[in-house]
Amino acid sequence: MTFQRFGLYRGRGIHAIVVDMTTMTARPTPAGSLPGTARGVRARVTYFPPNWFAAVMGTGIIAIAAHGLPWQPAVLSVVAAGFWMLACVVFGGVVITTIGHWLMDPAVARSHHDHRVVAHFYGAVPMAVMTVGTSTLLVGVGIVGRDVALGVDVVCWIVGTLGGVVTALVIPYRHLILRRAHVGEAFGGWLMPVVAPMVSASAAAILAGQLGAGWARTLVLGVGFAMFGLAVVAATPILVALVRRFRTGDHGAATMMPTWWIVLGPLGQSVTAVCLLAHVAPDAVSASVAGAMHEFAVAYGLVVWAVATVWILVAARLTVRTARAGMPFAMTWWSFTFPMGTYVTGSSALALTLGGPVFEVAAVAGFAVLVLAWGVVAARTVRGVVSGELLRLPIPGC
């Protein structure tokens, strides 16, 4: 495989009714008992928090991961194109519904900013934007053409990078520092705002591979290196807090358990970013600096990839145990998808950098698990949309 494979509430009433995203499903209501319902399907959305953008991430990452797999059967390009188009459709639907939610229920929509759980998922917005952009450049280029694909990716990368910096700085400061959050409150969603810059770093490396020599490519790579550093600095204390809570044995409510998979996100995404950045470094820095970056990418990538592999085993065991005890569906289930996708891209990037069957097998096996997880979560999400359960304002205590 060559590097080209990667394409080088405000108000008392609102606070009383807005609850954790873990209670996404509303109390069952007889069909037709609510205005505008037909056999239990809501006529309009009354609750649409930002974590819906995780569905875009979880869908688009399959297209990106498929494109970079070391093993490339002919059908894989069709699979990648299909998931790219589906990600674009889901993205459009989520954006339109979000705008409608803000127009129809502005008080509820504004309340997401202050919510101790939901607010962290604003990090999914810039990541969804960059996922669409990168998948368009890698997979959609054969359909829309290089100029359109490159233009879309440039816009998505700029918007996503700026949005990621805002979420990485503002949300943790507001909800973790000012509110003095303690370890007992830690959950995987704390990482959502700070992973966005790492996604930007990976996207920068891929985008730079499509830009000609000059200031634009140098600028994109410089921003990519900066985003990698920002993400590492911002994610490290949160990872420490998560490990501390995990060791207490208190893993939170059953519907929150899937968010522990988000720990895999900064691990896998950072391996992807450091390897891809090292590959394009010779185009922007001296040979000696590029060599040092390659050595760092190898050392960092191997260590973090090993940690990520161990975490998959830990998270899988916790998932099985929770599922046996009862794990109701919630939008948190999308945490099973994108983080696993980053492990696949990280393994593929290491296979590209070092070679060897271990990383190739890990990438292919991880991709199979990713597609399976996506199928289960997507099916449950569609069911929740059709029934209206995922689109209704949750009732406290349900």
Side-chain angles (χ1 to χ4, degrees):
M1 183 182 69
T2 64
F3 182 58
Q4 282 69 30
R5 173 57 54 189
F6 279 91
L8 299 189
Y9 319 16
R10 213 165 282 226
R12 190 178 67 180
I14 294 298
H15 277 300
I17 58 177
V18 178
V19 296
D20 287 351
M21 63 169 292
T22 58
T23 57
M24 280 293 186
T25 55
R27 181 178 297 148
T29 306
S33 62
L34 291 173
T37 60
R39 298 186 63 82
V41 179
R42 290 286 293 181
R44 74 174 181 88
V45 176
T46 58
Y47 187 66
F48 204 78
N51 53 296
W52 274 90
F53 283 89
V56 181
M57 298 164 54
T59 303
I61 192 65
I62 296 182
I64 296 172
H67 182 84
L69 277 182
W71 178 54
Q72 288 287 317
V75 70
L76 200 57
S77 61
V78 178
V79 172
F83 274 97
W84 165 70
M85 288 186 286
L86 183 57
C88 292
V89 171
V90 174
F91 179 68
V94 171
V95 169
I96 292 172
T97 306
T98 298
I99 293 173
H101 180 48
W102 275 85
L103 294 175
M104 299 297 294
D105 299 283
V108 177
R110 285 195 301 269
S111 69
H112 302 328
H113 301 327
D114 297 322
H115 199 279
R116 64 184 178 85
V117 172
V118 177
H120 296 280
F121 287 86
Y122 274 107
V125 180
M127 286 192 283
V129 172
M130 287 185 286
T131 299
V132 170
T134 299
S135 60
T136 299
L137 184 61
L138 293 177
V139 181
V141 62
I143 299 174
V144 301
R146 183 183 182 278
D147 292 342
V148 173
L150 183 59
V152 168
D153 190 40
V154 168
V155 172
C156 288
W157 181 75
I158 293 174
V159 173
T161 297
L162 294 175
V165 171
V166 171
T167 62
L169 298 178
V170 174
I171 294 179
Y173 176 74
R174 182 178 182 184
H175 289 274
L176 302 184
I177 297 176
L178 291 183
R179 294 187 176 182
R180 298 184 179 181
H182 54 81
V183 172
E185 298 177 80
F187 76 109
W190 280 11
L191 287 167
M192 289 294 287
V194 300
V195 176
M198 193 63 78
V199 174
S200 179
S202 299
I206 295 173
L207 175 58
Q210 296 296 319
L211 297 176
W215 67 268
R217 183 167 64 184
T218 303
L219 176 61
V220 169
L221 287 177
V223 173
F225 294 138
M227 291 301 100
F228 177 86
L230 172 61
V232 170
V233 171
T236 299
I238 295 177
L239 286 170
V240 171
L242 289 171
V243 170
R244 289 177 60 191
R245 180 177 184 183
F246 192 87
R247 292 180 61 185
T248 66
D250 176 19
H251 304 140
T255 47
M256 293 296 281
M257 192 289 305
T259 66
W260 286 103
W261 283 86
I262 300 178
V263 173
L264 190 61
L267 302 179
Q269 194 66 54
S270 65
V271 173
T272 304
V274 74
C275 289
L276 296 185
L277 286 171
H279 274 283
V280 296
D283 297 327
V285 297
S286 64
S288 59
V289 174
M293 291 186 63
H294 177 79
E295 293 178 1
F296 172 76
V298 171
Y300 179 93
L302 287 174
V303 172
V304 176
W305 183 86
V307 173
T309 303
V310 172
W311 185 256
I312 288 177
L313 301 177
V314 172
R317 180 181 178 184
L318 178 60
T319 301
V320 172
R321 187 175 66 188
T322 306
R324 288 176 176 174
M327 187 171 62
F329 177 75
M331 287 299 290
T332 51
W333 281 33
W334 280 100
S335 302
F336 293 133
T337 57
F338 189 82
M340 178 55 71
T342 68
Y343 180 77
V344 176
T345 58
S347 299
S348 296
L350 275 175
L352 177 66
T353 303
L354 296 175
V358 174
F359 304 115
E360 295 178 358
V361 171
V364 174
F367 183 76
V369 173
L370 169 62
V371 173
L372 178 62
W374 181 91
V376 173
V377 179
R380 294 296 298 270
T381 301
V382 170
R383 181 192 302 179
V385 170
V386 172
S387 68
E389 291 182 351
L390 294 179
L391 306 178
R392 289 195 292 265
L393 190 67
I395 300 174
C398 265

